[in-house]
Amino acid sequence: MSRPFKIEIAESEEELKKLLQTARLGNQKEKLQMLWWLKSGQVKEQQEIGKRLAKDTSTVTRWLQKYRSGGLDELLEIKKAPGAKRKIHDIAIAALEEELKTGKGFSSYGAIVEWLKLQHGLDIEYATVYAWVRYRLCAKLKVPRPQSYNQDEKLIFEFKKNSELFLIV
């Protein structure tokens, strides 16, 4: 049998029970369950906590050290990774937005990749540019379809005039 350990739990048994009932994440529930067992006197050894929670005793020790050093807030704290750095900086995004708003625009997403390389020195993949322009900036590359110069304007007008698609009811 391992030696008993002493830990002072500042929260009351009722408070721990309420927190345990309202906890949503499994990891937080396990930690609150451990504190509630200790406060209510149901558990007296770290090994017993580890067995009940199916955790290694080193994990229980780490949790208790966190509680001793920072209390309940540090024990239940969820750390989140900062994520990757943006590939396109804010100045380039603003310039790209302005360029997209002008009537000239771009003929393709590849042209945007080249423009970013020339204007801002950014070497960005096609897929990244497509995702930024299409989904984050909510812009579409609208370029008129090419038309032949040999078309007769009168024939086009007659077609539109007599076509069912262009009739206004």
Side-chain angles (χ1 to χ4, degrees), residues 64-114:
L64 291 170
Q65 285 174 345
K66 279 186 176 182
Y67 182 77
R68 282 185 184 117
S69 66
L72 193 60
D73 291 335
E74 188 172 331
L75 178 66
L76 299 178
E77 179 185 10
I78 299 170
K79 294 183 180 176
K80 187 178 177 194
K85 244 176 109 175
R86 276 190 182 172
K87 295 184 180 190
I88 305 176
H89 50 76
D90 293 334
I91 297 168
I93 292 168
L96 178 60
E97 267 187 303
E98 288 300 316
E99 194 70 24
L100 286 168
K101 285 179 183 175
T102 63
K104 188 174 79 171
F106 294 98
S107 60
S108 67
Y109 292 101
I112 297 175
V113 171
E114 291 300 317

Side-chain angles (χ1 to χ4, degrees), residues 17-129:
K17 194 168 186 176
K18 283 181 185 177
L19 287 171
L20 183 59
Q21 290 171 346
T22 59
R24 291 185 178 215
L25 300 175
N27 194 9
Q28 289 180 341
K29 284 185 180 184
E30 289 175 336
K31 293 172 183 179
L32 289 166
Q33 184 73 55
M34 172 190 70
L35 291 177
W36 184 70
W37 284 335
L38 288 170
K39 186 69 173 184
S40 64
Q42 295 179 27
V43 176
K44 304 240 186 280
E45 301 172 352
Q46 275 184 274
Q47 286 181 333
E48 193 176 342
I49 295 170
K51 285 179 186 176
R52 283 187 175 193
L53 293 174
K55 299 285 181 193
D56 191 56
T57 53
S58 62
T59 302
V60 175
T61 303
R62 190 174 59 249
W63 288 354
L64 291 170
Q65 285 174 345
K66 279 186 176 182
Y67 182 77
R68 282 185 184 117
S69 66
L72 193 60
D73 291 335
E74 188 172 331
L75 178 66
L76 299 178
E77 179 185 10
I78 299 170
K79 294 183 180 176
K80 187 178 177 194
K85 244 176 109 175
R86 276 190 182 172
K87 295 184 180 190
I88 305 176
H89 50 76
D90 293 334
I91 297 168
I93 292 168
L96 178 60
E97 267 187 303
E98 288 300 316
E99 194 70 24
L100 286 168
K101 285 179 183 175
T102 63
K104 188 174 79 171
F106 294 98
S107 60
S108 67
Y109 292 101
I112 297 175
V113 171
E114 291 300 317
W115 181 81
L116 286 170
K117 193 180 290 185
L118 292 173
Q119 297 293 323
H120 298 280
L122 298 172
D123 190 24
I124 299 172
E125 295 178 8
Y126 179 93
T128 306
V129 169

Side-chain angles (χ1 to χ4, degrees), residues 120-146:
H120 298 280
L122 298 172
D123 190 24
I124 299 172
E125 295 178 8
Y126 179 93
T128 306
V129 169
Y130 179 82
W132 265 96
V133 171
R134 188 82 167 98
Y135 301 113
R136 292 195 181 186
L137 300 178
C138 297
K140 293 182 182 178
L141 303 182
K142 294 185 178 177
V143 178
R145 293 183 180 183

